[in-house]
Amino acid sequence: MSHLKVENLSFSYPVGDGRHIVLEKLDLSADKGDFISILGPSGCGKSTLLRLLSGFLRPEEGQVTLNGSILSSPFPEGQMIFQDTNQLLPWLSVENNILFPRFRSLLGSAEKKLSENDRLLLETIMDKTGLLSFRHHFSAQLSGGLKQRVSLARAIFAQPQILFLDEPFVSLDAPSRYELQNLLLNLWKKGGWTVFFVTHDISEALILSDKMLLFTGDGKGPLLITNFLESPRDPHSEQFRKEKLRLYSLIDSL
Ligand code: ADP
Ligand code: MG
Protein backbone atom coordinates (compact mmCIF):
# COMPACT_ATOMS: atom_id res chain seq x y z
CA MET A 1 0.00 0.00 0.00
CA SER A 2 1.26 3.50 -0.83
CA HIS A 3 2.17 5.64 2.12
CA LEU A 4 0.54 8.79 0.80
CA LYS A 5 -1.82 8.56 -2.13
CA VAL A 6 -3.59 11.20 -4.18
CA GLU A 7 -6.52 10.11 -6.32
CA ASN A 8 -8.37 12.16 -8.88
CA LEU A 9 -7.67 15.36 -6.96
CA SER A 10 -9.06 18.66 -8.23
CA PHE A 11 -8.84 22.08 -6.62
CA SER A 12 -9.76 25.63 -7.59
CA TYR A 13 -9.98 29.03 -5.86
CA PRO A 14 -13.00 31.34 -6.23
CA VAL A 15 -12.22 34.36 -8.42
CA GLY A 16 -15.01 36.91 -8.97
CA ASP A 17 -17.98 34.93 -10.22
CA GLY A 18 -15.85 32.03 -11.44
CA ARG A 19 -13.12 29.68 -10.28
CA HIS A 20 -9.38 29.62 -10.87
CA ILE A 21 -8.51 25.97 -11.50
CA VAL A 22 -5.15 25.02 -9.96
CA LEU A 23 -5.22 21.21 -10.06
CA GLU A 24 -7.35 18.86 -12.13
CA LYS A 25 -7.68 15.12 -11.64
CA LEU A 26 -4.21 14.60 -10.18
CA ASP A 27 -3.04 11.09 -9.26
CA LEU A 28 0.14 10.59 -7.28
CA SER A 29 1.56 8.14 -4.81
CA ALA A 30 4.53 8.29 -2.49
CA ASP A 31 6.25 5.43 -0.69
CA LYS A 32 7.72 5.71 2.76
CA GLY A 33 11.14 7.33 2.60
CA ASP A 34 10.59 9.05 -0.76
CA PHE A 35 12.14 12.50 -1.25
CA ILE A 36 9.91 14.21 -3.79
CA SER A 37 10.46 17.74 -5.07
CA ILE A 38 7.51 19.73 -6.36
CA LEU A 39 8.96 21.91 -9.08
CA GLY A 40 7.54 24.61 -11.32
CA PRO A 41 7.25 28.34 -11.97
CA SER A 42 5.70 30.82 -9.57
CA GLY A 43 1.91 30.59 -9.39
CA CYS A 44 1.64 27.08 -10.90
CA GLY A 45 0.14 25.57 -7.73
CA LYS A 46 3.08 24.14 -5.73
CA SER A 47 2.05 25.61 -2.37
CA THR A 48 -1.58 24.72 -2.99
CA LEU A 49 -0.63 21.10 -3.65
CA LEU A 50 1.56 20.97 -0.52
CA ARG A 51 -1.34 22.28 1.58
CA LEU A 52 -3.63 19.63 0.10
CA LEU A 53 -1.10 16.86 0.80
CA SER A 54 -0.63 18.01 4.41
CA GLY A 55 -4.35 18.40 5.16
CA PHE A 56 -4.30 22.22 5.45
CA LEU A 57 -6.62 22.41 2.44
CA ARG A 58 -9.37 19.97 1.46
CA PRO A 59 -9.73 18.72 -2.12
CA GLU A 60 -12.71 19.90 -4.07
CA GLU A 61 -12.88 16.52 -5.73
CA GLY A 62 -10.93 13.32 -5.17
CA GLN A 63 -8.97 12.45 -2.05
CA VAL A 64 -5.64 12.22 -0.28
CA THR A 65 -5.06 9.12 1.84
CA LEU A 66 -2.33 8.49 4.40
CA ASN A 67 -1.68 4.80 5.13
CA GLY A 68 -5.13 4.06 3.72
CA SER A 69 -7.10 6.65 5.76
CA ILE A 70 -8.65 9.68 4.09
CA LEU A 71 -6.99 12.93 5.15
CA SER A 72 -9.32 15.74 6.15
CA SER A 73 -7.14 17.91 8.39
CA PRO A 74 -3.48 18.42 9.36
CA PHE A 75 -2.14 15.35 11.16
CA PRO A 76 0.46 14.99 13.93
CA GLU A 77 2.77 12.70 11.94
CA GLY A 78 3.19 15.47 9.34
CA GLN A 79 5.31 18.57 9.91
CA MET A 80 5.02 21.57 7.63
CA ILE A 81 7.40 24.46 7.10
CA PHE A 82 5.45 27.20 5.31
CA GLN A 83 6.82 29.49 2.60
CA ASP A 84 8.24 32.86 3.71
CA THR A 85 6.77 32.73 7.18
CA ASN A 86 8.55 33.10 10.45
CA GLN A 87 6.78 30.35 12.38
CA LEU A 88 8.79 30.80 15.58
CA LEU A 89 7.04 31.98 18.71
CA PRO A 90 8.79 35.24 19.69
CA TRP A 91 8.34 34.79 23.44
CA LEU A 92 10.02 31.36 23.50
CA SER A 93 13.73 30.60 23.36
CA VAL A 94 15.19 28.59 20.47
CA GLU A 95 15.16 25.48 22.67
CA ASN A 96 11.54 25.92 23.72
CA ASN A 97 10.49 26.64 20.13
CA ILE A 98 11.96 23.28 19.15
CA LEU A 99 10.18 21.53 22.03
CA PHE A 100 6.87 23.33 21.45
CA PRO A 101 5.00 21.01 19.02
CA ARG A 102 5.46 18.01 21.30
CA PHE A 103 5.29 19.69 24.69
CA ARG A 104 2.95 22.62 24.24
CA SER A 105 1.13 22.00 27.51
CA LEU A 106 4.39 22.19 29.46
CA LEU A 107 5.65 25.43 27.98
CA GLY A 108 8.56 26.91 29.84
CA SER A 109 9.09 23.88 32.04
CA ALA A 110 9.21 21.35 29.21
CA GLU A 111 12.98 20.96 29.23
CA LYS A 112 12.87 19.88 32.89
CA LYS A 113 10.39 17.07 32.11
CA LEU A 114 12.16 15.56 29.11
CA SER A 115 12.93 11.85 29.13
CA GLU A 116 16.57 10.87 28.74
CA ASN A 117 15.93 9.85 25.11
CA ASP A 118 14.23 13.13 24.23
CA ARG A 119 16.99 15.11 25.94
CA LEU A 120 19.56 13.25 23.84
CA LEU A 121 17.51 13.77 20.67
CA LEU A 122 17.20 17.49 21.40
CA GLU A 123 20.96 17.86 21.96
CA THR A 124 21.78 15.88 18.80
CA ILE A 125 19.39 17.90 16.64
CA MET A 126 20.63 21.23 18.03
CA ASP A 127 24.20 20.11 17.49
CA LYS A 128 23.57 18.97 13.89
CA THR A 129 21.68 22.15 13.03
CA GLY A 130 24.38 24.35 14.58
CA LEU A 131 22.07 25.77 17.24
CA LEU A 132 23.75 24.74 20.49
CA SER A 133 25.16 28.18 21.20
CA PHE A 134 21.84 29.86 20.36
CA ARG A 135 19.60 27.72 22.58
CA HIS A 136 18.64 30.60 24.90
CA HIS A 137 18.23 33.19 22.13
CA PHE A 138 14.84 34.54 20.99
CA SER A 139 13.73 34.82 17.37
CA ALA A 140 14.29 38.60 17.26
CA GLN A 141 17.98 37.89 17.94
CA LEU A 142 18.36 35.44 15.03
CA SER A 143 19.28 35.90 11.36
CA GLY A 144 17.02 34.48 8.61
CA GLY A 145 19.32 31.46 8.21
CA LEU A 146 19.23 30.70 11.92
CA LYS A 147 15.43 30.98 11.99
CA GLN A 148 15.24 28.43 9.16
CA ARG A 149 17.52 26.13 11.15
CA VAL A 150 15.21 26.39 14.17
CA SER A 151 12.16 25.64 11.99
CA LEU A 152 13.93 22.60 10.58
CA ALA A 153 15.09 21.45 14.04
CA ARG A 154 11.58 21.85 15.39
CA ALA A 155 10.03 19.87 12.54
CA ILE A 156 12.57 17.09 13.03
CA PHE A 157 12.26 16.96 16.83
CA ALA A 158 8.54 16.28 16.34
CA GLN A 159 9.72 13.01 14.72
CA PRO A 160 7.46 13.24 11.70
CA GLN A 161 6.55 10.50 9.27
CA ILE A 162 6.30 13.14 6.58
CA LEU A 163 7.99 16.52 6.21
CA PHE A 164 6.35 19.16 4.02
CA LEU A 165 8.77 21.96 3.13
CA ASP A 166 7.66 24.96 1.06
CA GLU A 167 10.70 26.69 -0.47
CA PRO A 168 12.42 26.55 2.92
CA PHE A 169 15.82 27.86 1.78
CA VAL A 170 14.75 30.44 -0.79
CA SER A 171 15.67 33.55 1.18
CA LEU A 172 19.09 32.28 2.28
CA ASP A 173 22.49 33.27 0.95
CA ALA A 174 24.18 30.62 -1.23
CA PRO A 175 26.59 29.18 1.41
CA SER A 176 23.82 28.81 4.04
CA ARG A 177 21.52 27.25 1.47
CA TYR A 178 24.20 24.74 0.46
CA GLU A 179 24.90 23.89 4.10
CA LEU A 180 21.23 23.41 4.97
CA GLN A 181 20.58 21.32 1.84
CA ASN A 182 23.36 18.95 2.92
CA LEU A 183 22.08 18.93 6.47
CA LEU A 184 18.56 18.06 5.31
CA LEU A 185 19.87 15.26 3.08
CA ASN A 186 21.98 13.74 5.86
CA LEU A 187 19.16 13.92 8.39
CA TRP A 188 16.68 12.47 5.88
CA LYS A 189 18.97 9.50 5.11
CA LYS A 190 19.08 8.64 8.82
CA GLY A 191 15.51 9.61 9.70
CA GLY A 192 13.65 7.56 7.09
CA TRP A 193 10.94 10.20 6.66
CA THR A 194 9.02 10.92 3.51
CA VAL A 195 9.79 14.45 2.28
CA PHE A 196 7.81 16.73 -0.03
CA PHE A 197 10.01 19.67 -0.95
CA VAL A 198 8.65 22.62 -2.95
CA THR A 199 11.13 24.61 -4.99
CA HIS A 200 11.29 26.66 -8.18
CA ASP A 201 15.02 25.93 -8.44
CA ILE A 202 15.82 23.02 -10.80
CA SER A 203 19.35 22.56 -9.42
CA GLU A 204 18.04 22.35 -5.87
CA ALA A 205 15.47 19.71 -6.91
CA LEU A 206 18.11 17.71 -8.77
CA ILE A 207 20.57 17.80 -5.87
CA LEU A 208 18.05 16.80 -3.22
CA SER A 209 15.34 14.58 -4.56
CA ASP A 210 14.95 11.14 -6.09
CA LYS A 211 11.62 11.98 -7.67
CA MET A 212 10.32 15.26 -9.03
CA LEU A 213 6.80 16.35 -9.65
CA LEU A 214 7.13 18.81 -12.52
CA PHE A 215 4.46 21.36 -13.29
CA THR A 216 4.95 21.54 -17.05
CA GLY A 217 3.74 24.22 -19.41
CA ASP A 218 1.55 21.95 -21.52
CA GLY A 219 -1.53 22.29 -19.31
CA LYS A 220 -1.71 18.52 -18.79
CA GLY A 221 -0.91 18.75 -15.09
CA PRO A 222 2.22 17.83 -13.21
CA LEU A 223 4.43 14.99 -14.34
CA LEU A 224 6.28 12.65 -11.95
CA ILE A 225 9.81 11.90 -13.09
CA THR A 226 12.67 9.99 -11.52
CA ASN A 227 16.06 11.55 -10.88
CA PHE A 228 18.60 8.98 -12.09
CA LEU A 229 21.67 11.03 -11.17
CA GLU A 230 23.79 9.14 -8.67
CA SER A 231 24.05 10.46 -5.17
CA PRO A 232 25.93 12.53 -3.95
CA ARG A 233 25.12 14.71 -6.96
CA ASP A 234 27.71 17.09 -8.34
CA PRO A 235 26.05 20.20 -9.82
CA HIS A 236 29.22 20.87 -11.88
CA SER A 237 29.20 17.49 -13.67
CA GLU A 238 28.29 17.12 -17.35
CA GLN A 239 25.49 14.67 -16.52
CA PHE A 240 23.96 17.16 -14.09
CA ARG A 241 24.08 19.91 -16.69
CA LYS A 242 22.37 17.72 -19.30
CA GLU A 243 19.65 16.65 -16.90
CA LYS A 244 19.05 20.27 -15.94
CA LEU A 245 18.64 21.25 -19.60
CA ARG A 246 16.20 18.39 -20.13
CA LEU A 247 14.08 19.63 -17.23
CA TYR A 248 14.23 23.22 -18.49
CA SER A 249 12.77 22.07 -21.78
CA LEU A 250 9.97 20.24 -19.98
CA ILE A 251 9.01 23.24 -17.87
CA ASP A 252 7.64 26.26 -19.66
CA SER A 253 9.57 29.04 -17.91
CA LEU A 254 11.13 29.67 -14.53
P1 ADP B 1 3.01 28.52 -6.25
O1 ADP B 1 3.24 28.04 -4.86
O2 ADP B 1 3.40 27.53 -7.30
O3 ADP B 1 3.65 29.84 -6.51
P2 ADP B 1 0.24 28.78 -5.40
O4 ADP B 1 -0.18 27.40 -5.05
O5 ADP B 1 0.55 29.69 -4.27
O6 ADP B 1 1.43 28.73 -6.46
O7 ADP B 1 -0.91 29.47 -6.25
C1 ADP B 1 -1.46 28.84 -7.40
C2 ADP B 1 -2.43 29.83 -8.05
O8 ADP B 1 -3.55 30.03 -7.21
C3 ADP B 1 -1.84 31.20 -8.32
O9 ADP B 1 -2.37 31.68 -9.53
C4 ADP B 1 -2.32 32.03 -7.14
O10 ADP B 1 -2.43 33.37 -7.50
C5 ADP B 1 -3.66 31.40 -6.85
N1 ADP B 1 -4.00 31.45 -5.42
C6 ADP B 1 -3.23 31.02 -4.40
N2 ADP B 1 -3.84 31.20 -3.21
C7 ADP B 1 -5.06 31.74 -3.49
C8 ADP B 1 -6.18 32.13 -2.70
N3 ADP B 1 -6.17 31.99 -1.37
N4 ADP B 1 -7.24 32.67 -3.35
C9 ADP B 1 -7.27 32.81 -4.69
N5 ADP B 1 -6.25 32.45 -5.49
C10 ADP B 1 -5.15 31.92 -4.92
MG1 MG C 1 4.36 28.88 -3.30
Side-chain angles (χ1 to χ4, degrees), residues 13-14 20 22 41-48 83:
Y13 291 108
H20 173 61
V22 181
S42 217
C44 69
K46 303 182 296 297
S47 295
T48 303
Q83 183 175 11

Side-chain angles (χ1 to χ4, degrees), residues 2-212:
S2 295
H3 184 35
L4 191 130
K5 193 164 189 180
V6 172
E7 288 165 286
N8 203 30
L9 180 148
S10 299
F11 189 85
S12 64
Y13 291 108
V15 180
D17 294 337
R19 315 276 310 173
H20 173 61
I21 297 170
V22 181
L23 292 161
E24 241 186 328
K25 300 188 187 304
L26 175 70
D27 291 313
L28 171 72
S29 65
D31 292 326
K32 210 166 168 30
D34 272 349
F35 195 128
I36 302 181
S37 283
I38 300 172
L39 184 63
S42 217
C44 69
K46 303 182 296 297
S47 295
T48 303
L49 176 59
L50 203 68
R51 285 190 160 86
L52 286 158
L53 297 179
S54 54
F56 282 89
L57 280 176
R58 286 204 194 176
E60 219 168 293
E61 275 177 48
Q63 61 184 27
V64 181
T65 50
L66 177 70
N67 300 326
S69 305
I70 293 180
L71 211 66
S72 56
S73 57
F75 53 99
E77 302 85 359
Q79 282 293 313
M80 175 99 163
I81 301 185
F82 288 93
Q83 183 175 11
D84 284 338
T85 338
N86 176 9
Q87 290 166 254
L88 305 185
L89 298 171
W91 59 89
L92 292 180
S93 65
V94 163
E95 183 170 278
N96 279 328
N97 261 291
I98 296 171
L99 294 172
F100 177 69
R102 282 184 50 203
F103 296 96
R104 55 186 75 190
S105 60
L106 302 171
L107 274 188
S109 59
E111 70 273 30
K112 296 183 195 112
K113 309 234 164 104
L114 287 182
S115 68
E116 203 42 49
N117 275 348
D118 279 336
R119 161 69 51 200
L120 195 65
L121 181 66
L122 175 68
E123 296 300 321
T124 307
I125 289 173
M126 282 203 295
D127 181 23
K128 295 256 183 282
T129 48
L131 289 170
L132 280 176
S133 53
F134 298 97
R135 66 194 311 156
H136 301 303
H137 283 54
F138 292 86
S139 65
Q141 300 168 297
L142 305 176
S143 66
L146 281 168
K147 283 180 200 157
Q148 281 296 8
R149 281 166 199 263
V150 183
S151 295
L152 196 57
R154 180 164 69 175
I156 293 163
F157 183 74
Q159 294 187 287
Q161 282 187 29
I162 311 189
L163 263 181
F164 300 99
L165 307 172
D166 196 349
E167 308 212 31
F169 308 142
V170 75
S171 53
L172 303 183
D173 56 87
S176 305
R177 187 186 307 186
Y178 178 73
E179 202 188 327
L180 282 185
Q181 284 170 347
N182 280 327
L183 175 68
L184 174 63
L185 266 186
N186 289 333
L187 291 169
W188 165 72
K189 278 177 196 152
K190 289 187 194 123
W193 328 299
T194 308
V195 178
F196 285 93
F197 186 95
V198 168
T199 180
H200 62 264
D201 181 337
I202 291 182
S203 296
E204 185 168 62
L206 274 173
I207 289 168
L208 291 176
S209 51
D210 297 326
K211 294 178 189 167
M212 289 165 289

